[in-house]
Amino acid sequence: MTNRYQRTLLYNENGNITISTWAKIEHCVPEGSVLGPLLFLVFINDLPKFINDKSVPILFADDTGILLSHSNPAVFKILNDWFKQKLLSLNFTKTQFTNFRTKNSNQMEININYNNKFIPTITYTKFLGLTVDCLVWINHIDSPTKN
């Protein structure tokens, strides 16, 4: 995993190729490699200890979910600090927020904004093949019948 290099090839509409110079890869796990998921888990192994008193992380291969039992936005600063230590960043295009609540509880309006980026609130999400929607399960039950 050392002394690895990469470069980028760009094709324009005329078929001409532009090639960048070779650059040394300082931090990486080759995508699609057999060891990729294992090395990723080793790399983020300290995440549960880092945020254990703030939330519950769910780690499976390269999927990560974090369950919060409160709406304290400070946990995002803690997470971002951990990401910076690991030379990672939060992917805001894949980050979503679902407000799980009981059927009888009042709907709370929660807006999460971190580093001037908005994390969208969604009514359901798919995690490890299971569609979860505010503990009602309607979307998961209906999804096989819609195909």
Side-chain angles (χ1 to χ4, degrees):
M1 302 308 274
T2 60
N3 294 322
R4 297 174 58 91
Y5 292 83
Q6 72 179 18
R7 66 180 177 175
T8 304
L9 291 124
L10 298 173
Y11 296 90
N12 68 14
E13 57 274 353
N14 297 331
N16 297 327
I17 302 172
T18 302
I19 303 173
S20 70
T21 58
W22 286 99
K24 187 172 184 176
I25 301 172
E26 299 292 333
H27 310 282
C28 84
V29 173
E31 189 167 335
S33 69
V34 174
L35 288 175
L38 175 63
L39 292 174
F40 177 77
L41 288 175
V42 169
F43 190 69
I44 66 166
N45 191 42
D46 65 332
L47 177 62
K49 289 181 180 179
F50 196 80
I51 62 171
N52 194 29
D53 62 333
K54 311 284 187 269
S55 59
V56 178
I58 300 170
L59 308 173
F60 182 79
D62 64 348
D63 285 335
T64 305
I66 299 174
L67 301 176
L68 305 170
S69 61
H70 49 79
S71 59
N72 184 355
V75 75
F76 289 102
K77 181 181 178 345
I78 293 167
L79 279 170
N80 197 48
D81 291 344
W82 181 86
F83 281 122
K84 284 180 183 177
Q85 282 180 353
K86 297 288 187 175
L87 302 174
L88 298 171
S89 62
L90 189 62
N91 185 341
F92 281 91
T93 60
K94 294 182 176 182
T95 303
Q96 305 161 335
F97 168 75
T98 302
N99 185 11
F100 296 105
R101 59 187 175 86
T102 61
K103 200 185 299 186
N104 299 330
S105 66
N106 294 332
Q107 178 70 28
M108 286 182 7
E109 180 83 18
I110 299 174
N111 294 311
I112 301 174
N113 184 336
Y114 186 71
N115 283 350
N116 297 321
K117 294 181 182 174
F118 178 72
I119 297 175
T121 301
I122 56 173
T123 57
Y124 65 92
T125 188
K126 197 164 206 165
F127 186 71
L128 299 177
L130 180 67
T131 304
V132 183
D133 63 346
C134 304
L135 302 180
V136 179
W137 302 93
I138 292 170
N139 289 303
H140 183 71
I141 293 167
D142 287 347
S143 66
T145 60
K146 291 179 182 176
N147 294 334

